Amino acid sequence: MTTAISAPSTRPVGVDAIHHALRTMPQSPGVYRMLGAKGDVLYVGKALNLKKRVTSYTHVSRLTERLRRMVSETCSMEIVTTHTEAEALLLESNYIKRMQPRYNILLRDDKSYPWIMLTDRHDFPQISKHRGKPVKGASYWGPFASAWSVNQTLNLLQRTFLLRSCSDSEMQARTRPCLLHQIHRCSAPCTDRISREDYAGLATQARDFLAGRNPDMREQLGREMEAAAAALEFERAAAIRDRIRGLSALQQDSSVINPSTVTDADIIAIWQIAGQSCIQVFFIRAGRNNGNRAFFPSHARDETAPDVLAAFIGQFYDDKPPPAQVLVNQDLPEVAVLGAALGLRRGRKLEILHPQRGEKRGVIEHAEINAREALERRLAESAGQARLLRGVADLFGLAEPPRRIETYDNSHIQGANAYGVMVVAGPEGFEKRAYRKFSIKGPVTPGDDFAMMREVLERRFRRALKEREEGVRPEDWPDILLIDGGAGQYTAVRGVLDGLGVTGVTLVAIAKGPDRDAGREWFHMEGRAPFQLPPRDPVLYYLQRLRDEAHRFAITTHRAGRSKTLVRSELDDIPGVGPARKRALLKHFGSARSVRQAGLGELENAPGINRDMARAIYGYFHPDWTGD
C-alpha cells in the first residue's frame, strides 16, 4: 500500500517534516521516499520497521554530511508497506533504478544484455542472439557481458552444431544453400540437405551443451569420426573433425575458472580508490566464462565498499535473473536479506558467498585485479580529461572547468529528413545517455541551416528553463554551447538565447578554416574577435573531437530517418494493415502500386488477406466505391 505523508500547509522542512511524517508512520516493513520541495525524489530506503528507521534521521548529529543535507531538503515523505524486508529490498532497488534519486548509490546501466536463443516450436530450430524480453517458444542461455562475447560463442556453436541462424522467412525463400553452408557453419535444412531427425539430434546436442550436460560429447564425436574414416567416408569424417575443433574451442577452460569449482555464478568484486568505485562482474554459466564488464556506480565519496557493493547487487538484478551463486569480495551488510530478496527474484534458493580460501578465492582475486586495473585506467583518463577541461576553461574565460559541454549540429538533404542533434561531454568523457535528436518540425528552406539551429535551440532551452524553474535535473544545465558554424550560426543562436532569457551559458561557434582544413578552425564568441589556436594544441584537438562527434551523430540520425522514409509506402496509412500484412501484400503483388491497381478478387486471393481486409484495402484506394 502506498501512502503519502505530506507536511502541513506551513511547509516545514528538514527534521520538522520528518517528525510530521512519523505521526502516522507504521511499524511494518516497507520502502520510504524522501521528497524535495518540487516533489522530486531525494532518497529511497527500505526498512524492517519503517517508523524505527525513519526516526534515525531525526538525530542529525549522528548522520553523515551527505545525509544531513538530504534531511535539510526533505519536505514530505511517501511510504509503501510490504510483507517482508526482502520484498522491501526488491522494491527499493526498483525505485532507485527507475527514479535515480541523487542521494542514493546509483547504478547507471541502461544496456540490455544479449542472450543466446534457440527456438523450440519449429521443425528446424533457429539459433540466434536475442536482446530484450524473452518470447514464448524459445530457450535462452546467458546473459553475456557484451555483443562481442555472444557473437564469438554463436560462431563457435554454428561451427560445432551446424544450426541455422537465418529467420523463418529467409529459410522458406531459399532455393539453394547460403554461404554459411559452404563454410561448414550450417547444415542447410532450407534445401533438405539434412533430415528433420538428424537436425533434431544436433539441436538436442546444442541444448545439452549449453546447459552443461553431456560432457563426453567430444569423445562421442571422436568415435563417429573414426568410424566414418574406417568406412572411407572421408568427407563426413572431415565435417566431424571440424565440429570437434569447434567444440574444443567452446570447452576451453578459462585460466581462472575451473568448471568443477564454479558452474553457475556471477563473480562480483569491488575496488575503491580516492572515493571512486569500480565493480567488475564475470558471468559464469555451465562452467564457461560468458564475459565480464566493469561498472562505475555513482555515490558519495564517503560510502564504504560493502555498502556500495550491496546497493549495486540489488539494482543489478532488478531486471535480470540471478544465478545460483553470487561470489563477492566483501562481507555485505544484511547479506541474509539480500540473499532472500534475490532468491525471490530467481524463484529458487540463492547463495551469496565471500570465499576466504581455495579456488573460489582465487577467482575473486582475479576479479579484484580486473576491477583495480579498470579503475586505475578510468582515473588516468579522467585526469587527462580534467586537464583538457581546465584548458577549455582558460581558453573561454570560465572560472571553473565545465561540467557539461553541449555540441550541436544538423543534417538534411535539401531540407528533406532534417534533423538536429545535441551531444554532451563532461569530466567522464562523452555522455551518450544524454545525447538528443530533434526531428525538425517547421518548414525548412533548402540550405537554411540557421532556421534549423534556431528551432533546435528553442526546443532545447524552453524545456530546460521549465525544468530549471521546477528544480528538476539541475545537472542538465550546460556550461558551454559549442555550435558547428561561423559568425552567422553564432548570431542566430545568440538571438535565440537572448530571446528566451538564457544566461550563464558560454556560447562558442567553431568554423572550419580556409579550404575547410582541420587544424585551422576559427572560434567565435562574445566580446572577442575571431581567433585560432595553434595547430597542435591539445585543447584544439579536444574541441575538434566534440565537433566531429556531433557531425557523426547528425549524419547517422539523418540516415536512419531517411531509411525509414524509403521503406514507408502508402500501405502504411491503411487502417488494419500492419507490418506483417504489408510484407505479405508486397511479396504477393510486387509493389504498392500493384496493390493499388489490384481488383477486389485479386486482393481476396492474396495470402493473409481475408474478405473484410480486402474490401478495406480496395475501399481505401477507391474512395468512391460503395461496397456493392
Side-chain angles (χ1 to χ4, degrees), residues 115-402:
W115 295 66
I116 287 177
M117 178 184 76
L118 186 60
T119 56
D120 296 328
R121 300 174 182 176
H122 198 284
D123 292 337
F124 299 100
Q126 172 202 12
I127 191 167
S128 62
K129 177 176 65 177
H130 179 81
R131 287 185 186 269
K133 294 182 179 180
V135 296
K136 292 183 179 179
S139 301
Y140 295 88
W141 291 271
F144 288 78
S146 64
W148 179 88
S149 58
V150 74
N151 287 338
Q152 185 184 45
T153 303
L154 267 178
N155 288 335
L156 292 171
L157 286 170
Q158 287 177 302
R159 186 192 308 171
T160 305
F161 300 107
L162 307 178
L163 301 181
R164 68 179 179 95
S165 59
C166 59
S167 65
D168 293 349
S169 59
E170 289 174 321
M171 176 183 171
Q172 293 169 0
R174 295 210 67 86
T175 58
R176 59 180 183 177
C178 66
L179 178 62
L180 288 176
H181 176 69
Q182 304 298 329
I183 61 175
H184 307 294
R185 291 194 179 182
C186 180
S187 53
C190 54
T191 54
D192 298 326
R193 299 296 179 96
I194 185 173
S195 68
R196 187 176 303 175
E197 293 74 18
D198 289 344
Y199 191 94
L202 293 176
T204 299
Q205 287 181 355
R207 287 191 178 93
D208 289 344
F209 176 80
L210 288 168
R213 299 188 293 267
N214 201 352
D216 300 326
M217 191 180 300
R218 194 177 346 182
E219 287 74 12
Q220 294 175 9
L221 290 174
R223 289 192 293 270
E224 289 182 22
M225 182 180 68
E226 292 175 359
L232 304 182
E233 298 176 356
F234 299 116
E235 186 173 346
R236 181 169 178 267
I240 297 174
R241 178 203 60 199
D242 292 340
R243 291 186 60 196
I244 293 173
R245 289 176 177 174
L247 190 63
S248 298
L250 279 169
Q251 290 181 324
Q252 278 183 343
D253 296 338
S254 168
S255 59
V256 296
I257 306 298
N258 186 339
S260 64
T261 303
V262 181
T263 56
D264 184 23
D266 284 343
I267 301 164
I268 306 178
I270 185 172
W271 195 268
Q272 287 189 322
I273 301 176
Q276 297 189 46
S277 301
C278 173
I279 297 175
Q280 192 76 222
V281 181
F282 282 78
F283 301 93
I284 309 300
R285 299 294 183 272
R288 294 184 306 277
N289 186 350
N290 284 356
N292 62 292
R293 187 178 174 213
F295 299 85
F296 301 92
S298 173
H299 61 83
R301 298 178 67 87
D302 58 353
E303 293 282 7
T304 64
D307 288 338
V308 173
L309 188 56
F312 168 87
I313 290 174
Q315 296 175 51
F316 183 69
Y317 291 112
D318 177 64
D319 57 357
K320 60 181 71 65
Q325 285 187 337
V326 177
L327 306 184
V328 297
N329 70 329
Q330 299 286 331
D331 289 323
L332 301 182
E334 299 181 317
V335 67
V337 176
L338 183 58
L342 296 186
L344 289 175
R345 173 74 63 192
R346 185 170 184 259
R348 284 179 289 171
K349 185 179 178 182
L350 176 145
E351 291 182 303
I352 300 178
L353 304 176
H354 178 198
Q356 302 296 320
R357 61 184 64 84
E359 292 186 3
K360 288 183 178 179
R361 179 60 195 171
V363 170
I364 280 291
E365 289 175 348
H366 177 74
E368 278 185 342
I369 293 171
N370 278 266
R372 185 195 69 204
E373 292 176 348
L375 183 56
E376 289 173 348
R377 287 193 300 270
R378 184 180 178 89
L379 291 174
E381 292 170 359
S382 298
Q385 187 79 359
R387 287 193 295 272
L388 288 173
L389 292 177
R390 283 196 297 270
V392 170
D394 294 339
L395 176 65
F396 297 142
L398 277 67
E400 298 289 339

Side-chain angles (χ1 to χ4, degrees), residues 54-71:
V54 174
T55 300
S56 67
Y57 291 104
T58 63
H59 305 297
V60 180
S61 61
R62 303 176 186 174
L63 302 178
T64 64
E65 178 60 30
R66 175 180 62 91
L67 293 181
R68 284 198 291 269
R69 288 200 309 270
M70 178 194 71
V71 168

